[in-house]
Amino acid sequence: MKKKYVWLFLLLLAAAIAVGSRTEVAGFLRRNFAATFSDVLPSEPTKLRARYLKKHPQELNIAVFGPWDYYARQGFILDKAVQLAIDEVNAAGGILGRRVNPVWVDNGNYSAIAQEQAEKLAADPSIFAVLGPVTSGRVLQFNSLFGDAGLPEVAPLAQSERINRDRTNALLFMPIASDLAESRALAAWAEREKRNNFLILNDDSRFPMSYGSCVEQSFYEKDLLVYGRVLFDQSSKKNYIRDQVLQYLDYFPVQNIIYLSKTGDASDYADLADRVFTRLPEGTLYFNEFTTLDRLLKIRLDRNRVFVPVAIPLNEANRAELRKFLKMENYERDFLSLIAYRSVHIFADAIRQAGTLEPGRIAETMRTGVMQTPLGEFRFSADGFEADPPLEILSLEELEKRWRAIAAE
């Protein structure tokens, strides 16, 4: 009798699934089944990707996902840097005998466009991994999407402490100093140089653990004073930053200014420096690495009072690689393009060391290993950022001097 009830239950269940296969309830059940057993059952995208790789043993398609045109307008040759690294990887025999094919996707720096493109990439079985997105906001937007699809992701320029804080995506890595690591290096420099009383200009201060708040936290740890933050974005009117700074100088004993720019152009740098230094005879201006040297050099006076972090050591060991960039058209001597270039080599070497295209094993190699690149060895921290970044903070005058030495015959 009990067997009859069991069979009756199974028949009713089958009928319900057949009738409701297109209903919201059925969809809900399927999604929850997939979520519940995702750790033990390979996802459909993962299985399809494995089949594609088996059918195409000589190629490896990597999506290069970012606002390439946008950054080109800001003076960064990120696309050329990535292509140079891919060409070098292929010239050395590719990755595990496969030729790397970049699939270029320009998201225009717009959230809606990027979302549509990311969903297509996540569902495309021919895409093995993603290089990008570039900005922290986009990486946060697609953290779960790419992770759930089983796509290894290397986001070369995303620094936000909010990324992957709960380590929800084990396949995500950021080969750059985190906002907090860079902020602590800046605070240590300020303490060492006996500089105090700061004003922060920041285009990402609206969120907890933003770059600006990381700087504040790091400065407070050193008992350094921060009088406030000037918030701005791409829609800010011209001269807005300058006018806000001058108002702060009227009411607070500000001595030094930190410009954490990740959006907008550099048209106001020289004007800002001229006005700030007129008001602050002993003050300094600090820019992060999201600025190009050539645009900063429009600041013609007091270059020994303008400081920038060096994200890639400008030394003899890196001279040959750096000179490659100096010969490239439109290269404005920025560090972001160098970091993007290095990121490709980091990922390629991790796969070679893992000896497999299984995403989990590649991620474990990246998390625990030492990757070899043309710009030196590289290690990741437990959070997936650059471990112990060798940041050096140099004056604009010293920075230009080192670049000239590298370019010299």
Side-chain angles (χ1 to χ4, degrees), residues 237-354:
K237 295 180 180 179
K238 187 173 177 61
N239 299 329
Y240 168 80
I241 298 171
R242 182 200 66 192
D243 294 342
Q244 290 292 310
V245 168
L246 294 179
Q247 285 187 31
Y248 263 95
L249 296 183
D250 286 337
Y251 294 103
F252 297 95
V254 173
Q255 295 175 3
N256 304 282
I257 295 178
I258 304 169
Y259 194 118
L260 305 178
S261 173
K262 294 187 179 182
T263 60
D265 62 28
S267 61
D268 60 344
Y269 292 172
D271 178 60
L272 177 65
D274 183 56
R275 293 173 182 272
V276 166
F277 291 151
T278 298
R279 297 283 296 273
L280 301 175
E282 301 300 324
T284 63
L285 261 172
Y286 172 94
F287 293 88
N288 71 336
E289 69 271 36
F290 279 71
T291 50
T292 71
L293 177 63
D294 290 1
R295 298 192 184 198
L296 281 177
L297 288 177
K298 293 178 181 178
I299 302 175
R300 301 190 181 279
L301 301 175
D302 297 307
R303 290 183 179 180
N304 61 330
R305 297 163 61 194
V306 179
F307 294 88
V308 183
V310 178
I312 300 288
L314 301 177
N315 55 27
E316 186 63 29
N318 292 334
R319 182 175 180 179
E321 297 304 313
L322 296 172
R323 291 183 72 179
K324 287 182 187 177
F325 281 79
L326 291 176
K327 295 176 182 178
M328 294 173 69
E329 184 180 0
N330 298 325
Y331 182 56
E332 296 192 17
R333 292 180 286 181
D334 71 280
F335 290 107
L336 301 193
S337 298
L338 296 173
I339 293 170
Y341 163 83
R342 184 180 63 178
S343 299
V344 176
H345 283 287
I346 290 169
F347 188 51
D349 193 55
I351 298 175
R352 293 192 197 102
Q353 290 188 41

Side-chain angles (χ1 to χ4, degrees), residues 116-270:
E116 182 179 350
Q117 293 170 335
E119 289 175 358
K120 289 180 180 179
L121 290 175
D124 187 343
S126 72
I127 300 298
F128 170 72
V130 176
L131 181 70
V134 173
T135 59
S136 294
R138 297 292 165 264
V139 176
L140 285 162
Q141 185 178 353
F142 310 126
N143 189 0
S144 297
L145 178 65
F146 289 145
D148 291 345
L151 283 169
E153 182 183 359
V154 178
L157 307 180
Q159 297 179 279
S160 174
E161 283 291 315
R162 292 176 291 141
I163 296 173
N164 217 16
R165 291 183 71 186
D166 299 324
R167 301 184 189 178
T168 54
N169 184 355
L171 304 180
L172 172 61
F173 293 88
M174 289 74 60
I176 190 173
S178 70
D179 286 340
L180 189 56
E182 190 161 311
S183 298
R184 285 174 173 162
L186 176 56
W189 168 81
E191 182 183 49
R192 187 169 59 252
E193 296 294 317
K194 294 181 171 56
R195 302 191 184 279
N196 208 338
N197 301 341
F198 288 87
L199 174 65
I200 299 173
L201 317 182
N202 185 211
D203 59 3
D204 187 27
S205 292
R206 296 168 178 80
F207 308 101
M209 296 306 292
S210 69
Y211 200 169
S213 64
C214 285
V215 170
E216 284 192 347
Q217 174 184 321
S218 300
F219 277 42
Y220 292 154
E221 290 172 356
K222 298 285 187 181
D223 292 326
L224 299 171
L225 291 175
V226 176
Y227 284 105
R229 281 186 267 169
V230 173
L231 306 185
F232 61 94
D233 56 30
Q234 291 169 272
S235 64
S236 297
K237 295 180 180 179
K238 187 173 177 61
N239 299 329
Y240 168 80
I241 298 171
R242 182 200 66 192
D243 294 342
Q244 290 292 310
V245 168
L246 294 179
Q247 285 187 31
Y248 263 95
L249 296 183
D250 286 337
Y251 294 103
F252 297 95
V254 173
Q255 295 175 3
N256 304 282
I257 295 178
I258 304 169
Y259 194 118
L260 305 178
S261 173
K262 294 187 179 182
T263 60
D265 62 28
S267 61
D268 60 344
Y269 292 172

